[in-house]
Amino acid sequence: MKKCIALFVFLFGTYLVHAQNMDINILKNINPQNPNNIIWRGATSSAYPVSIGVPAGIWLVATIEGNSTLQQKAYAVGSGVILSAGVAELLKLSVNRARPYTTYPQLIHPFDATESGYSLPSGHVSLAFANATGLALSFKKWYITLPAFTWATAVGYSRLYLGEHYPSDVVIGAAVGSGSAWLSHWLTEKYFQKRKNIRSKR
């Protein structure tokens, strides 16, 4: 039994080392020595205002028009963004992974070395993918879905280009965001359907 445990620890440790090496090697190839491209800086800067502004804007239009269907979509997208922010923060505090430029100061060149918080997952990416997935689920139009996911992917790449996150941080952030959006969309549909059923019985 002890030999089995020792073998498992050895294999798991080897896997972690290999995964970490792959993570940093990919990041090195993306992150330049002077990451100052205005496009990728803009993509990163857009993550929070767009993720908050889009559902807020949808809700405002829906309220002005008195459109309950559009309001439901606003709640679905907005709650997905909020949920993803909470889950991402819990994961950050649980994993406590340092930023790549902190662990590899000679290899990674950050645009902003003062960003606070842990590295895994990327909060910017989780919000962006929660927003994109929420829009895709709510509107189901290619001309909304394609730009939304293009933007979210650009946010993800920007976090690597700027040296703020490992590739695995970005991938897990995208999964957290998309998963949060799916769950929020499902719960919102259930809630509004329940309200509709109650009203129809009155």
Side-chain angles (χ1 to χ4, degrees), residues 165-185:
H165 287 284
Y166 294 98
S168 57
D169 300 339
V170 169
V171 171
I172 293 171
V176 167
S178 297
S180 298
W182 276 97
L183 179 59
S184 295
H185 182 80

Side-chain angles (χ1 to χ4, degrees), residues 107-167:
L107 299 177
I108 304 303
H109 314 286
F111 171 72
D112 180 8
T114 63
E115 281 204 27
S116 59
Y118 295 109
S119 191
L120 191 151
S122 168
H124 287 73
V125 176
S126 65
L127 288 180
F129 272 86
N131 201 15
T133 305
L135 289 171
L137 291 170
S138 294
F139 292 95
K140 297 181 173 66
K141 303 290 185 182
W142 71 267
Y143 52 82
I144 292 176
T145 299
L146 183 60
F149 278 107
T150 300
W151 166 74
T153 302
V155 171
Y157 183 84
S158 74
R159 302 308 286 159
L160 303 177
Y161 172 86
L162 296 173
E164 301 295 340
H165 287 284
Y166 294 98

Side-chain angles (χ1 to χ4, degrees), residues 31-48:
N31 171 237
Q33 195 159 7
N34 183 28
N36 200 28
N37 185 289
I38 192 170
I39 293 174
W40 303 123
R41 285 165 49 198
T44 275
S45 298
S46 71
Y48 281 84

